[in-house]
Amino acid sequence: MIYLDNSATTSPYKEVLDSFYKVSQGFFANPSSIHYLGGEVEQLLTKAKEQAASLLNVLPKELIFTSGGTESNNLAIKGIALQHQNRGKHIITTQIEHPSVLEACRSLEQFGFDVTYLSVDIEGKVSPEQVKAAIREDTILISIMHVNNEIGTIQPIEEIAAISQQYPKLFFHVDHVQGLGKVPLHLAHEGIDLCSMSSHKIHGLKGTGLLYIKRGTSLYPLVHGGGQQEEIRPGTENVSGIVAMVKALRLTFDNQKNKIDEISKLSRSIRECLAADSRIYINSPKTGAPHIINISVPGYKPEVVIHALGKKDIFISTKSACSSKHSDESAVLAACGLEQSRTMHGFRISLSFYNTEEEINQFCRTFLEVLDELSDVMGR
Amino acid sequence: MKSIYLDHAATTPMHPEVIQAMIPVMEGTFGNPSSIHHFGRQARKLLDEARHLIANSIHAKEKEIVFTSGGTEADNAALIGIAKKNRHIGRHIITTEAEHHATLRTAEYLEKEGYDVTYLPVNESGRISIVDLQNSLRDDTILVSIMYVNNETGVIQPIEEIGAVLKEHQAYFHTDAVQAFGALPIDVDALGVDLLSASAHKIYGPKGIGFLYIRDNVQIEAIQHGGEQERKRRAGTENTAAVVGFQKAVDLVKKEGQIRNKEYRALKELFIQTLKKRNIDFEINGDEQFTVSSIVNISFPGTNVESLLTNFDLSGIAASSGSACTAGSIDPSHVLSAMYNREDERTKNSIRFSFGIANNEENVKESAEQVAQIVKRLTS
């Protein structure tokens, strides 16, 4: 089995499962309970938050645990918009954000917010100048992802943060779900006010995420209730999921330090092998994140190719698992200005620290074979 | 010191079979249920099966179940979702003074948003009056939200009667069934509810997962936007393993529910009888004939919550006041305040004991003896 869909989700580390198991068995009490058992769990939670903060180089009180990346993005965007709408109702984002950012913005349009969706160049990049030009008197939020989930483009986050910093009324949110553990981000940069992360993209468990909220930044909660997590995110904390996420974070940062070059090497092999074939176009920029390679094979129906690869125990994807089911077209590739022969025929190969050279070689070989096999039916 | 856990209404330990059901999913079926390849489809299949069983358990259809991150989110999704969707029809909401904070705080938020909320009183037995409800209904009432079982007293509200009253009214009927689900048989049609919230970690399932039942044809405005998961009613990668754990917990209720209720009722009775034998001055809050088998709320005249809980804790007894705890001081219970009045001593000297899997005759008897001793010491 060769799993190359790590941007959709990853398999949890063994140590993550151990943590989950241990906490579920030994620390089951409700951390809000004031008895001894609750106190023990609360301590565990505090420790987990401190560890996460130290790994991310921020303060523990700047972190909120959520149910995942989608909730983190929604909380950041709606939370800022609702809390600070008296300052202005303009939001800046890009056309290639994750659906959880785009849809959160669209939902705010219903409530009178005005959203600018910045265009991107052929590599999927926005320029800091574009961002600067879009800022208005009533702009309260910029939300831009660090690494694009479909093509791996890395946005100039620090430069945008520096711009945002010049506007004290403005908040800057970064969706770091795909970048975490793969592409470094200086979270403590004064210009970054909010940042979303997800556990299951870094070999943690589904159902847990993080939102970094820079100290002093106030935002309106999405849900209301028992006052947990400074009332920003009430609800009984998913303690075992949280401890498991912090474990995954630590292991992932270790891997990032020691093994990111290996991913880059695998990435180069895939590019070289596939670029040599005239049927294939590489969509991901060379300067993008190493773990995501997006390609187009005009004339080949993505689902059919995916299915044929699946039969050979190889798993890649078309576009984002979260994108619309009603269209074959990749909205990200379309925003990059690519023609339909490419936007309708895109594939995403996404790597983890566990993929090997043999796997990659076998994938490349098999992928080309599958194209050959299918060329009679759909090739051109 | 060995603790005796009498706080099952706050949270429950995960049943060993629940953990056993989750581990293989986390290890082997980690795919993103939205992915179109084999890994995704396998995960999707597990979700479908779980949804089927859980829907069945309340006599609902699969598509009427929306998985959430827990009870708090489910309550919020119901109240905010209905309120926002129907704001052009009316802006009046009815709930009760004795709801969980997930409902109360959300209702308060909606008040700020321009909705008008009626908080029905409860009588000394802890129940609302149907006449009060009838008198409060208006032409612009769009939602009635009344909890099935109170989390502090275990008192059961006349949900079926309320459902019958609302049958002829446009208002949607939501019930927070977090404490009822697993303790009482639930048939959404017989109850006449349109929305119902439930949580897994109260029934030996994992934390971080719950569901909102939404009757077919009832529309809500989602609070979280993004991908098209859960029929666009709750975006975010589904927490497959937790859903499977939830399924197992529900399955166990199906098999053991009746036996459990009998056992818990007997343990509660044993606890009360032991206190009686020791000639302790105490009074049960709420009409016992209308309570679930696992919860009893007891007032100890001449004591106060803080010293009771501190002493219980020192003796290894984990119980709870059921009310919010802020910075070391304990506010009088809002539920008991609603039943009596704010000045009543019982709001400050009552403890919730809730029984479950961590209990047996021996430790319940022992804890009752300890409680008796402590109360005697504090009142002599």
Side-chain angles (χ1 to χ4, degrees):
Chain A
M1 187 267 287
I2 303 177
Y3 184 76
L4 301 173
D5 194 14
N6 290 283
S7 286
T9 191
T10 56
S11 71
Y13 295 121
K14 193 187 163 296
E15 293 89 336
V16 160
L17 296 176
D18 291 345
S19 292
F20 176 85
Y21 193 68
K22 238 183 255 165
V23 176
S24 295
Q25 284 200 316
F27 297 86
F28 73 86
N30 192 320
S32 295
S33 294
I34 57 175
H35 48 64
Y36 175 74
L37 294 172
E40 266 189 337
V41 178
E42 196 198 8
Q43 270 180 25
L44 184 68
L45 206 53
T46 306
K47 227 177 81 190
K49 197 170 261 196
E50 281 167 5
Q51 277 175 5
S54 122
L55 287 165
L56 294 165
N57 218 353
V58 299
L59 301 173
K61 65 171 180 187
E62 294 176 315
L63 294 177
I64 293 290
F65 288 106
T66 67
S67 68
T70 291
E71 186 186 335
S72 293
N73 282 338
N74 273 266
L75 177 55
I77 292 167
K78 294 176 192 165
I80 289 292
L82 295 178
Q83 180 78 12
H84 301 282
Q85 52 185 318
N86 52 349
R87 289 191 194 172
K89 289 188 140 188
H90 180 235
I91 295 169
I92 299 170
T93 185
T94 81
Q95 291 175 2
I96 61 161
E97 297 301 307
H98 186 267
S100 56
V101 167
L102 292 175
E103 294 301 323
C105 287
R106 272 178 208 135
S107 79
L108 287 168
E109 286 178 299
Q110 280 182 49
F111 297 98
F113 285 84
D114 187 15
V115 183
T116 300
Y117 301 91
L118 295 175
S119 59
V120 293
D121 66 15
I122 191 140
E123 293 197 327
K125 246 188 184 172
V126 286
S127 71
E129 293 73 38
Q130 255 180 299
V131 176
K132 188 163 183 156
I135 295 174
R136 310 190 315 213
E137 185 69 9
D138 61 341
T139 308
I140 53 168
L141 175 68
I142 300 173
S143 178
I144 293 179
M145 71 203 314
H146 187 208
V147 171
N148 181 269
N149 56 315
E150 285 193 29
I151 59 174
T153 306
I154 302 170
Q155 303 295 1
I157 294 300
E158 296 211 2
E159 287 160 84
I160 298 169
I163 293 170
S164 161
Q165 223 181 322
Q166 296 163 16
Y167 299 83
K169 275 181 15 181
L170 215 167
F171 296 95
F172 180 31
H173 165 246
V174 181
D175 171 358
H176 190 35
V177 169
Q178 288 293 342
L180 185 63
K182 304 290 187 344
V183 184
L185 177 68
H186 180 40
L187 210 53
H189 189 296
E190 279 300 311
I192 299 176
D193 301 292
L194 304 117
C195 179
S196 306
M197 292 159 267
S198 165
S199 183
H200 76 98
K201 309 282 191 191
I202 57 161
H203 306 281
L205 301 174
K206 293 175 184 63
T208 327
L210 263 175
L211 179 63
Y212 161 76
I213 307 169
K214 194 173 82 184
R215 70 214 165 278
T217 307
S218 63
L219 76 177
Y220 207 82
L222 276 186
V223 298
H224 314 268
Q228 293 94 339
Q229 304 206 69
E230 333 298 328
E231 292 186 37
I232 291 170
R233 207 285 185 179
T236 302
E237 295 91 340
N238 178 1
V239 186
S240 32
I242 287 169
V243 173
M245 176 171 189
V246 177
K247 173 73 85 179
L249 198 60
R250 189 172 69 67
L251 295 171
T252 294
F253 280 164
D254 287 350
N255 279 333
Q256 186 178 8
K257 211 161 79 193
N258 304 321
K259 294 169 96 173
I260 194 71
D261 290 345
E262 290 175 36
I263 290 192
S264 301
K265 210 174 129 201
L266 298 181
S267 182
R268 276 195 301 274
S269 315
I270 294 179
R271 277 171 175 279
E272 276 164 27
C273 147
L274 298 182
D277 192 295
S278 61
R279 292 169 291 192
I280 301 172
Y281 295 85
I282 310 256
N283 300 320
S284 293
K286 280 197 171 128
T287 54
H291 63 298
I292 299 175
I293 302 111
N294 191 295
I295 61 171
S296 289
V297 192
Y300 287 81
K301 207 170 161 40
E303 291 210 21
V304 177
V305 176
I306 300 272
H307 188 67
L309 282 171
K311 278 193 174 159
K312 297 174 195 279
D313 245 7
I314 294 177
F315 306 97
I316 65 169
S317 69
T318 54
K319 41 187 184 172
S320 154
C322 282
S323 57
S324 173
K325 300 279 170 288
H326 302 301
S327 158
D328 273 340
E329 183 169 57
S330 156
V332 175
L333 296 180
C336 293
L338 298 178
E339 53 208 66
Q340 277 215 333
S341 63
R342 280 167 75 172
T343 61
M344 302 285 284
H345 304 277
F347 297 88
R348 177 183 67 184
I349 301 127
S350 49
L351 309 174
S352 81
F353 296 110
Y354 293 102
N355 292 123
T356 62
E357 217 177 309
E358 295 90 85
E359 285 183 332
I360 296 309
N361 291 338
Q362 197 187 326
F363 158 72
C364 287
R365 250 193 339 266
T366 313
F367 189 75
L368 299 179
E369 276 168 26
V370 163
L371 294 189
D372 291 341
E373 283 166 21
L374 294 172
S375 69
D376 292 342
V377 247
M378 53 173 80
R380 53 173 200 183
Chain B
M1 178 185 58
K2 191 136 174 56
S3 290
I4 301 176
Y5 190 72
L6 298 176
D7 202 12
H8 290 82
T11 191
T12 56
M14 269 162 75
H15 194 288
E17 285 187 40
V18 168
I19 302 184
Q20 287 315 320
M22 289 174 73
I23 295 281
V25 180
M26 293 189 280
E27 279 176 347
T29 322
F30 65 86
N32 188 321
S34 298
S35 293
I36 57 170
H37 51 59
H38 172 75
F39 275 85
R41 289 199 312 270
Q42 261 192 326
R44 166 75 44 205
K45 192 165 163 258
L46 292 182
L47 271 184
D48 290 347
E49 285 167 8
R51 201 186 302 277
H52 178 77
L53 182 109
I54 289 171
N56 248 332
S57 75
I58 57 167
H59 302 269
K61 299 192 263 289
E62 283 97 327
K63 63 178 174 185
E64 295 174 318
I65 301 295
V66 174
F67 288 114
T68 67
S69 68
T72 293
E73 186 190 326
D75 284 342
N76 274 264
L79 268 73
I80 297 174
I82 289 292
K84 296 218 160 146
K85 194 80 191 177
N86 295 284
R87 63 185 180 279
H88 306 299
I89 297 167
R91 296 199 165 200
H92 181 236
I93 294 167
I94 298 172
T95 184
T96 83
E97 291 176 1
E99 297 298 304
H100 188 272
H101 283 121
T103 297
L104 287 178
R105 296 278 177 267
T106 307
E108 287 161 17
Y109 155 72
L110 289 169
E111 281 187 274
K112 280 190 221 151
E113 293 284 298
Y115 293 84
D116 190 12
V117 182
T118 301
Y119 298 89
L120 296 178
V122 293
N123 58 26
E124 288 226 351
S125 71
R127 310 235 302 171
I128 65 146
S129 123
I130 294 290
V131 177
D132 281 349
L133 170 68
Q134 281 166 328
N135 292 338
S136 304
L137 278 171
R138 311 192 316 214
D139 286 346
D140 63 339
T141 309
I142 48 171
L143 173 68
V144 175
S145 177
I146 295 176
M147 73 200 312
Y148 201 158
V149 171
N150 185 273
N151 54 310
E152 291 191 25
T153 59
V155 168
I156 303 165
Q157 296 292 354
I159 296 301
E160 197 168 340
E161 279 177 68
I162 299 167
V165 168
L166 295 174
K167 206 161 193 163
E168 301 304 320
H169 195 282
Q170 65 172 10
Y172 293 109
F173 181 24
H174 166 248
T175 188
D176 168 357
V178 167
Q179 294 290 345
F181 185 63
L184 300 172
I186 292 177
D187 178 337
V188 287
D189 289 332
L191 293 176
V193 295
D194 299 302
L195 305 106
L196 178 146
S197 311
S199 167
H201 78 96
K202 310 285 189 190
I203 60 162
Y204 312 114
K207 294 181 179 61
I209 192 81
F211 73 76
L212 177 64
Y213 156 80
I214 307 172
R215 187 173 290 279
D216 214 358
N217 77 41
V218 174
Q219 307 265 321
I220 64 159
E221 181 90 37
I223 51 175
Q224 190 163 305
H225 298 88
E228 298 182 351
Q229 296 93 343
E230 302 293 308
R231 294 172 181 259
K232 293 194 188 182
R233 292 169 298 186
R234 203 281 182 179
T237 302
E238 299 92 337
N239 190 348
T240 323
V243 166
V244 169
F246 198 1
Q247 172 189 16
K248 176 52 87 175
V250 172
D251 196 35
L252 288 168
V253 169
K254 212 167 118 190
K255 290 182 187 133
E256 305 172 357
Q258 277 183 326
I259 308 164
R260 279 184 197 171
N261 275 339
K262 230 189 213 163
E263 267 175 31
Y264 301 164
R265 177 77 64 187
L267 292 173
K268 175 157 99 173
E269 210 37 52
L270 174 66
F271 188 84
I272 295 167
Q273 289 312 323
T274 309
L275 291 184
K276 274 189 184 153
K277 265 190 218 150
R278 293 289 164 259
N279 280 318
I280 297 299
D281 186 14
F282 73 92
E283 191 187 326
I284 293 172
N285 296 310
D287 190 336
E288 250 211 291
Q289 60 165 321
F290 295 120
T291 58
V292 284
S293 53
S294 57
I295 301 177
V296 64
N297 191 305
I298 302 179
S299 152
F300 297 101
T303 67
N304 68 72
V305 168
E306 270 130 272
S307 57
L308 284 172
L309 286 180
T310 314
N311 281 284
F312 291 169
D313 202 25
L314 286 170
S315 311
I317 293 164
S320 130
S321 69
S323 56
C325 156
T326 38
S329 76
I330 298 167
D331 296 334
S333 152
H334 75 279
V335 174
L336 299 178
S337 296
M339 285 164 62
Y340 312 125
N341 63 65
R342 273 199 82 80
E343 280 69 45
D344 195 291
E345 280 308 307
R346 287 171 286 185
T347 64
K348 300 180 202 84
N349 63 21
S350 296
I351 301 289
R352 173 186 71 185
F353 302 93
S354 46
F355 304 91
I357 200 171
N359 302 127
N360 52 41
E361 272 185 35
E362 197 190 335
N363 68 19
V364 165
K365 202 153 186 272
E366 189 192 326
S367 59
E369 296 286 1
Q370 300 249 29
V371 166
Q373 262 183 35
I374 290 165
V375 170
K376 263 188 188 158
R377 198 165 69 226
L378 292 175
T379 50
S380 62

